[in-house]
């Protein structure tokens, strides 16, 4: 007969009674020969608390000596919740069916009334319940096994994929009709045959199935372990992917052809751009010479000329100007497309920029008989842009408006904000000229695109102006739109981002990265994180003055026009960007560190870190790398709030002075009694509370009970400092993180406070722990705390 082991716990409010019941059960268990029974008493806290006893039990006896109380109900619920399938039996001296029914509702499996010979009855009830559960479990497993195999056969037979069952010998034990069709063989020819295909345990494998007199089939094979006829086996499925594979091959071939054609087009486009760029450069020098000598002749420097000769010379000069503009446009567009255009984005008063362009174009409009109006919204925020490039955009748009608006027409230029919450500013240039047909609108911003081109004299251009305008606006992170109708005029609208320090910071870095990549020059980035002293805030004039002075010193140190010092409020750092062929920025960084060392007396900390940018780096990655390099400083300078609650004035001062001397960047508040401490806790929201126990009114224990679970400050830590060490275990259960006995050294308080606040690796703390006996900290340590 098989001997089954049975482990029983006995628990209850009365631990002595639980021990007695466990002994009686162990004694009676000796008479049961088929089951090895082991009984042990278990504390209530072990069953209902976080620590679970080992080994896992088969049954739990809850001993109840009187009417069931709430604590007994909680024990029954805890046992049922934590002990899973264990049998739960209540063993009680109360002979009351109502109480038994109540215990069953709480989660017990049975209710046994204690009598003179009840320990044997109790053991019999436990054995009966566990044996019944064991039998039911076996029946369920057998039933489940049979049911699973029947379900599996049904799934295999009805599956649209080919499926085989491979037994432990590697032979086919079962297959469905789809598998017969895939392999081109009947059931009889496949059953009990070796599959002949290596089986992969995990993942899908593509195989080619060659059936008799059929074209090859490509299938995706998957293998899983199963049990078949109650023995280990493998289920192999074959999903026909022939059509999908053919479609993928066709698509891949088409993609390869398209990619090849696209590469050829890109090569042709690059050759064309290179040719235009080279030709433009080569044409510029002889054109300059032609224009200079033509002007000399036209001005009479070489001798007198007739009126007809001067007309011819002026025609030559006009066409020289047109050709020079064409060459300039080609070179500008080539520079933009190749990424070599260097933007210098900065804070710009867009209203003033638009107004100045309108003033400059006033005489030109008058000369052509046109009226020019400005509609500028007051108090527009500044924008982030390169003023020279945006001025070039506006001049181009205004030139087009003058060129295509007949005499007597009207041109309007305006600046406004699309919405109160918008982070964009819009600039409009409108005219009452010829307009553009709807079918031509999509081609307006293309290269070498022109409309209304007539062979006779009249308005002509290069067809590159609007392409350059669009590229420049989009390079600023803006957009350009056109609203036009034939013979009804046109309105070009450009948007530009509103200025912010963080946008300027990111824009400068993006522009520097683009220029560095285009020029093939290494880009070095240096971050300087500055933290003025706690008494000086950045929002004050003194704080801003420190930043300005450091920026001036850095600029004088680097002495290069392409470098800049920018403040990024979100990152709390100043950034210097510099290009260098060798990619070695160490000497550069050392000069900066030396030049700004004079400001350390005004700051809690100054940190400098450098990063050499890789060709594939993004702005976000560079910022992330610099932030990580400066992170030790950031964590070191975080302010932590500490509340000291103690009724002894001298001991409060001892703690405040000692913690303040540690240079841990602590904001310390005090309270002289428990009630005041609770009030300050709500107002101050501290990270750490230093708490005494013996205080008038609310003592430390009452304060801890009230504050530990405060939802407003769930992460607050508590340090108890008291001479009453007998209560430390109780206080730890109430939520105290550390308990220190009086008298205590300030070094111990600082060390524990640093650990609780998560700043235990701080260099200042390590310095305190190794300081000499003559230092201020050691003097504080030697003070005796009142008990």
């Amino acid at each position: 007969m098989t001997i089954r082991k049975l482990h029983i716990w006995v628990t209850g409010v009365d631990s002595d009674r639980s021990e007695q019941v466990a002994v009686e059960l162990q004694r009676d268990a000796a008479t049961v020969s088929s089951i090895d029974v082991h009984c042990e008493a278990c504390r209530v806290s072990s069953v209902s608390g976080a620590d679970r006893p080992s080994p896992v039990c088969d049954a739990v006896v809850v001993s109840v000596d009187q009417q069931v109380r709430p604590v007994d109900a909680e024990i029954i619920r805890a046992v049922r919740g934590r002990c899973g399938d264990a049998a739960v039996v209540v063993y009680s001296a109360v002979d009351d069916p109502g109480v038994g029914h109540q215990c069953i509702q709480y989660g017990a499996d049975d209710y046994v009334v204690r009598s003179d010979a009840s320990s044997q009855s109790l053991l019999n009830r436990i054995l009966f319940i566990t044996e019944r559960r064991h039998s039911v479990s076996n029946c369920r497993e057998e039933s489940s096994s049979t049911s699973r195999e029947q379900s599996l056969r049904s799934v295999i037979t009805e599956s649209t994929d080919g499926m085989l069952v491979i037994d432990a010998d590697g032979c086919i034990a079962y297959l469905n009709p789809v598998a017969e069709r895939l392999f081109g063989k009947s059931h009889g020819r496949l059953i009990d045959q070796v599959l002949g295909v290596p089986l992969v345990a995990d993942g899908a494998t593509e195989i080619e199935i060659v059936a008799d007199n059929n074209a090859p089939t490509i299938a995706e094979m998957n293998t899983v372990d199963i049990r078949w006829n109650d023995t280990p086996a493998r289920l192999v499925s074959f999903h026909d992917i022939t059509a999908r594979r053919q479609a993928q091959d066709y698509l891949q071939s088409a993609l390869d052809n398209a990619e090849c054609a696209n590469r050829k087009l890109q090569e042709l486009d690059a050759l064309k751009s290179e040719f235009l760029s080279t030709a433009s450069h080569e044409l510029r020098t002889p054109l300059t010479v032609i224009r200079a000598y033509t002007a000399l002749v036209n001005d009479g420097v070489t001798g007198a000329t007739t009126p007809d000769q001067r007309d011819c010379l002026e025609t030559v000069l006009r066409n020289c100007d047109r050709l020079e503009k064409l060459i300039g446009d080609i070179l500008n567009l080539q520079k933009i497309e190749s990424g070599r255009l260097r933007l210098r984005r900065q804070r710009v008063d867009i209203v003033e920029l638009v107004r100045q362009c309108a003033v400059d174009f006033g005489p030109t409009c008058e000369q052509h008989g046109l009226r020019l109006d400005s509609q500028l919204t007051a108090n527009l925020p500044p924008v982030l842009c390169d003023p020279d490039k945006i001025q070039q955009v506006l001049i181009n748009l205004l030139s087009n408006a003058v060129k295509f608006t007949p005499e007597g027409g009207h041109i309007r230029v305006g600046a406004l904000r699309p919405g109160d919450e918008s982070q964009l500013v819009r600039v409009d240039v409108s005219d009452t000229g010829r307009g553009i047909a709807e079918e031509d609108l999509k081609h307006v911003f293309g290269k070498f695109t022109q409309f209304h081109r007539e062979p006779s004299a009249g308005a002509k251009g290069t067809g590159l102006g609007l392409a350059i305008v669009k590229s420049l606006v989009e390079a600023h992170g803006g957009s350009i739109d056109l609203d036009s109708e034939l013979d009804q005029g046109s309105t070009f609208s450009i948007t530009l981002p509103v200025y912010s320090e963080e946008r300027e910071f990111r824009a400068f870095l993006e522009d520097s990265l683009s220029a560095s990549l285009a020029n093939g020059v290494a880009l070095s980035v240096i971050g300087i994180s500055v933290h003025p002293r706690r008494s000086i805030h950045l929002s004050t004039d003194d704080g801003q003055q420190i930043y300005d002075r450091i920026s001036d010193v850095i600029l004088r140190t680097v002495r290069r026009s392409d470098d800049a010092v920018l403040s990024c409020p979100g990152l709390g750092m100043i950034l210097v960007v510099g290009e260098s062929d060798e990619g070695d920025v160490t000497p550069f960084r050392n000069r900066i560190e030396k030049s700004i060392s004079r400001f350390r007396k005004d700051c809690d900390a100054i940190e400098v870190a450098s990063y050499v940018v890789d060709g594939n780096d993004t702005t976000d990655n560079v910022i992330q790398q610099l932030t990580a390099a400066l992170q030790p400083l950031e964590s070191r300078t975080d302010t932590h709030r500490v509340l000291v609650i103690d009724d002894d004035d001298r001991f409060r001062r001892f703690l405040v002075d000692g913690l303040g001397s540690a240079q841990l960047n602590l904001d310390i508040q005090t309270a002289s009694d428990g009630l005041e401490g609770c009030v300050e806790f709500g107002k101050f929201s501290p990270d750490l509370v230093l708490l005494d126990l013996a205080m008038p009114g609310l003592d430390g224990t009452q304060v801890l009970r009230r504050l530990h679970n405060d939802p407003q400050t769930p992460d607050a830590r508590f340090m108890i400092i008291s001479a009453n060490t007998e209560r430390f275990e109780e206080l730890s259960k109430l939520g105290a993180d550390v308990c220190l006995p009086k008298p205590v050294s300030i070094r111990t308080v600082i060390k524990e406070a640093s650990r609780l606040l998560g700043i235990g690796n701080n260099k200042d703390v390590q310095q305190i722990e190794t300081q000499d006996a003559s230092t201020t900290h050691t003097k504080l340590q030697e003070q005796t705390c009142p008990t």
Side-chain angles (χ1 to χ4, degrees), residues 424-427 445 469-470 472-481 492-497:
L424 299 170
V425 170
R426 195 179 83 206
V427 178
F445 297 106
V469 165
K470 185 175 186 294
L472 287 175
V473 172
E474 291 179 347
H476 283 80
S479 63
I480 182 167
D481 295 307
F492 287 88
S493 301
I494 66 170
T495 59
L496 296 169

Side-chain angles (χ1 to χ4, degrees), residues 430-448:
S430 305
D431 63 64
T432 58
R434 301 176 185 178
I436 301 172
E438 183 177 357
E439 61 271 16
D440 293 330
L441 290 177
K442 59 184 177 182
H443 303 296
V444 166
F445 297 106
K447 291 180 285 187
F448 301 103

